[in-house]
Amino acid sequence: MMRTTKLGIAGAALFLAIGVATPALATDYKAGDLTVVQPWARATPSGAKVGGAYLAITNNGKTADRLTGASIPEADHVEIHEMKMDGGVMKMRPLPNGIEIKPGQTVKLNPQGNHLMLMGLKAPLKQNEVVKGKLTFEKAGAVDVEFKINSIAAMSADSAPVDGTMKMDAMKMQKMDKTHTGH
């Protein structure tokens, strides 16, 4: 019985240590009533001229705001994009008016939906690096953020894909790069 208790206490201590450390890993940024959570981007293959960046934005205020733009020094420009199914075909298009964040709403930019399209990359984004950037909101103004660069096939800020997925995603990124040339 004593041994079980010690293991239980040790396990609980480990759980608490992990729980305490987890918030420190998540980077949040404030812009007025908005909270930006875990900005991240995917690593890109050598020679790629486009990449994707993702994050979540929560509006804690009483009025709507709008993400109107973004920038990073590593790209010529950044576009806010929508990706959705249209007649059985996945289509991507820029959202020139940005994305509205209603009061009490959390908007998630992710690889399967709305995202930031990093256009005209000057060099590959490398896994485990951090890229400084700026987000611009209609009402809250500009906020400096840092994008953590995850693996080429990451599906979230914390994911770690397997090699086969990474190779397949690298081919998709190269194909997408050719599609966006001159965009």
Side-chain angles (χ1 to χ4, degrees):
M1 181 108 179
M2 184 67 150
R3 184 173 179 197
T4 304
T5 305
K6 286 183 182 177
L7 289 175
I9 292 169
L14 178 61
F15 177 76
L16 287 173
I18 291 169
V20 170
T22 302
L25 298 175
T27 305
D28 296 355
Y29 301 89
K30 297 286 282 174
D33 290 328
L34 304 176
T35 302
V36 177
V37 179
Q38 287 187 319
W40 66 281
R42 283 182 169 165
T44 57
S46 180
K49 295 294 179 194
V50 298
Y54 318 97
L55 48 93
I57 307 162
T58 299
N59 186 341
N60 300 302
K62 295 183 183 201
T63 59
D65 205 335
R66 180 174 293 277
L67 174 64
T68 59
S71 63
I72 66 166
E74 288 77 6
D76 289 336
H77 66 284
V78 177
E79 295 178 357
I80 302 167
H81 275 215
E82 171 185 64
M83 196 162 67
K84 67 178 183 178
M85 292 299 287
D86 183 13
V89 176
M90 183 63 77
K91 294 195 175 183
M92 183 169 38
R93 69 180 180 97
L95 295 173
N97 297 322
I99 298 172
E100 182 179 36
I101 308 107
K102 295 177 182 175
Q105 182 182 42
T106 296
V107 172
K108 294 180 181 180
L109 280 64
N110 60 57
Q112 299 87 21
N114 294 343
H115 58 277
L116 299 176
M117 196 75 185
L118 313 175
M119 309 294 287
L121 287 174
K122 299 168 187 168
L125 300 177
K126 296 180 181 176
Q127 187 172 344
N128 298 322
E129 291 186 352
V130 174
V131 174
K132 293 181 185 278
K134 184 174 290 213
L135 302 173
T136 306
F137 297 96
E138 187 174 73
K139 295 178 181 160
V143 61
D144 292 327
V145 298
E146 291 183 339
F147 294 92
K148 178 184 175 225
I149 309 301
N150 287 349
S151 78
I152 198 166
M155 294 306 287
S156 69
D158 300 320
S159 68
V162 296
D163 284 343
T165 306
M166 291 173 67
K167 289 176 187 169
M168 190 168 105
D169 203 58
M171 292 187 315
K172 286 181 189 174
M173 287 292 289
Q174 287 172 338
K175 188 180 263 187
M176 184 170 56
D177 185 43
K178 291 177 185 169
T179 305
H180 282 83
T181 304
H183 187 10

